[in-house]
């Protein structure tokens, strides 16, 4: 009378077991392959570890990019509005220092300039290269209103450059002012070799014999320049921005300058001794003239 369960065929039971096991395995895989939000497969929180690091790296790259653009702008402005070859910009001290960073190490300067079309304009030089021209409004593209005001306030103490010196005194004063600007651009100190690489210093140094050695020229102005020792050796330090006292220039022009074939007193030639071959005075001929006349069979009357 007791009802006995009917046996289930083996072929019908196997699919049921396989379906149950496969569904359970799928559920397990789903749980292991999907980490919680904000966490990676290893259980590290992305929002607490990686995101701040990426933000710091991105901020550093943006700061370096702006600093490089400003350095290139300053290097271009040293040529007073003229077209500048791209290769010449690489001699600027700040451009050289920034170029050593990993961000710019494998880049060309022309690639960096092309990323700032609102600041620089490239013009073909006709020889396969390019020259750089500063765009109008370049300062406003790289500086905010507060930064521009701070920059102008810092440069207000700098003496005005002499663009067209008309004599030796003005050329010496122009070189003095140019060195002050170069030191200010370099943070107040630099070596003599670094100052000699500045385009403005090279231009104003021409035709000034007193500046044949730049170090000797700077010693003429102890009120503006001082000597210090840095990691790179002897260096020049900016002491004062005032250039009203021109007495060192007058003293230098009053001193004789040895050119190898004689001396020059400032810009005027040194006095020369009168010739001894012939004397136009009433005393008659000189001893040299007597010898010349005697050798020809003549004598003085």
């Amino acid at each position: 009378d007791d009802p006995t369960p009917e046996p289930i065929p083996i072929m019908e039971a196997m699919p049921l077991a396989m379906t149950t096991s496969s569904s359970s395995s799928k559920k397990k895989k789903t749980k292991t392959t999907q980490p919680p939000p904000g966490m990676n497969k290893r259980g590290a929180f992305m929002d607490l570890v990686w995101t701040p690091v990426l933000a710091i790296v991105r901020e550093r790259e943006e700061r370096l990019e702006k600093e490089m653009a400003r350095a290139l702008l300053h290097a271009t402005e040293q040529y007073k509005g003229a077209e500048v070859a791209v290769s010449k910009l690489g001699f600027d001290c700040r451009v050289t220092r920034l170029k050593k960073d990993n961000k710019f190490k494998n880049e060309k300067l022309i690639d960096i300039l092309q990323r700032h079309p609102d600041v620089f304009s490239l013009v073909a030089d006709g020889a396969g290269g390019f020259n750089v021209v500063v765009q109008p409004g370049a300062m406003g593209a790289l500086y905010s209103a507060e930064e521009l005001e701070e920059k102008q306030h810092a440069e207000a103490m700098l003496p005005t450059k002499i663009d067209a010196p008309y004599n030796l005194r003005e050329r010496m004063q122009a070189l003095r002012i140019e060195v002050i600007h170069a030191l200010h651009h370099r943070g107040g100190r630099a070596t003599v070799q670094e100052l000699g690489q500045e385009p403005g210093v090279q231009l104003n140094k021409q035709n000034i014999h007193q500046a044949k050695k730049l170090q000797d020229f700077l010693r003429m102005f102890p009120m503006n320049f001082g000597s210090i020792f840095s990691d790179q050796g002897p260096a020049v330090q900016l002491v004062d921005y005032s250039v009203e006292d021109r007495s060192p220039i007058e003293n230098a022009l009053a001193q004789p300058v040895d050119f190898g074939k004689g001396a020059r007193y400032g810009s005027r030639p040194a006095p020369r001794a009168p010739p001894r071959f012939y004397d136009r005075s009433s005393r008659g001929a000189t001893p040299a003239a007597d010898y010349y006349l005697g050798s020809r069979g003549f004598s003085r009357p």
Side-chain angles (χ1 to χ4, degrees):
D1 296 335
D2 296 335
T4 58
E6 296 181 359
I8 300 174
I10 296 177
M11 298 301 295
E12 296 180 2
M14 289 180 62
L16 181 61
M18 293 176 64
T19 305
T20 306
S21 62
S22 63
S23 63
S24 61
S25 63
K26 287 182 179 180
K27 291 181 180 179
K28 290 181 181 179
K29 287 183 179 180
T30 304
K31 291 181 180 179
T32 55
T33 55
Q34 293 182 357
M39 182 181 294
N40 58 11
K41 296 180 180 180
R42 299 182 179 181
F45 291 95
M46 297 290 293
D47 56 344
L48 297 179
V49 178
W50 295 104
T51 304
V53 175
L54 293 176
I56 292 173
V57 172
R58 190 178 298 109
E59 182 181 356
R60 178 181 180 276
E61 290 183 352
E62 292 177 356
R63 177 176 56 81
L64 288 175
E65 184 72 21
K66 182 179 292 187
E67 189 175 352
M68 173 61 86
R70 291 177 178 180
L72 291 171
L73 175 61
H74 181 272
T76 308
E77 289 179 339
Q78 296 303 306
Y79 293 88
K80 301 177 181 180
E83 296 183 1
V84 188
V86 177
S87 59
K88 290 184 178 181
L89 300 181
F91 294 103
D92 185 79
C93 63
R94 290 172 58 187
V95 175
T96 304
R97 176 175 55 84
L98 291 170
K99 195 68 173 61
K100 297 178 182 179
D101 193 89
N102 292 331
K103 176 177 173 57
F104 307 108
K105 184 179 294 184
N106 298 324
E107 282 190 314
K108 296 181 180 180
L109 290 179
I110 190 170
D111 297 333
I112 303 174
L113 294 169
Q114 289 177 345
R115 290 202 295 265
H116 302 277
D118 53 345
V119 181
F120 307 103
S121 176
L122 297 176
V123 181
D125 59 0
F130 290 92
N131 294 334
V132 185
V133 180
V134 178
Q135 294 277 34
M139 298 293 291
L142 294 179
Y143 294 89
S144 62
E146 294 78 9
E147 292 175 341
L148 192 59
E149 183 179 359
E150 182 179 357
K151 182 176 183 297
Q152 293 175 351
H153 178 72
E155 294 179 352
M157 64 183 70
L158 288 171
T160 305
K161 293 184 178 182
I162 302 176
D163 295 331
Y166 55 88
N167 57 20
L168 182 57
R169 289 177 175 81
E170 291 296 313
R171 290 199 300 270
M172 295 176 68
Q173 181 74 352
L175 178 58
R176 175 188 183 184
I177 295 174
E178 194 66 39
V179 174
I180 292 177
H181 280 257
L183 286 173
H184 177 82
H185 172 58
R186 291 176 177 267
R189 62 179 61 182
T191 63
V192 179
Q193 291 77 12
E194 291 173 344
L195 293 175
Q197 295 175 359
E198 291 286 338
V201 175
Q202 293 178 357
L203 180 63
N204 288 277
K205 187 182 174 183
Q206 299 176 1
N207 301 325
I208 300 179
H209 188 78
Q210 290 82 355
K212 186 176 181 179
K213 293 183 179 180
L214 185 60
Q215 187 173 2
D216 295 339
F217 178 81
L218 298 179
R219 288 174 181 171
M220 294 166 46
F221 307 97
M223 69 288 293
N224 297 121
F225 313 110
S227 300
I228 60 173
F229 289 92
S230 62
D231 298 337
Q232 300 177 355
V236 182
Q237 185 175 12
L238 183 59
V239 177
D240 193 7
Y241 292 89
S242 177
V243 293
E244 296 180 359
D245 185 8
R246 297 197 179 192
S247 59
I249 298 178
E250 299 296 334
N251 295 335
L253 294 178
Q255 298 297 325
V257 180
D258 187 9
F259 285 87
K261 296 182 179 180
R264 288 178 66 89
Y265 289 79
S267 59
R268 295 178 300 175
R272 299 174 59 183
R276 293 181 54 83
F277 180 77
Y278 186 76
D279 188 3
R280 295 180 180 273
S281 65
S282 60
R283 300 179 62 182
T286 61
D290 290 341
Y291 176 80
Y292 176 81
L293 294 174
S295 62
R296 297 295 189 273
F298 299 96
S299 62
R300 292 179 59 185

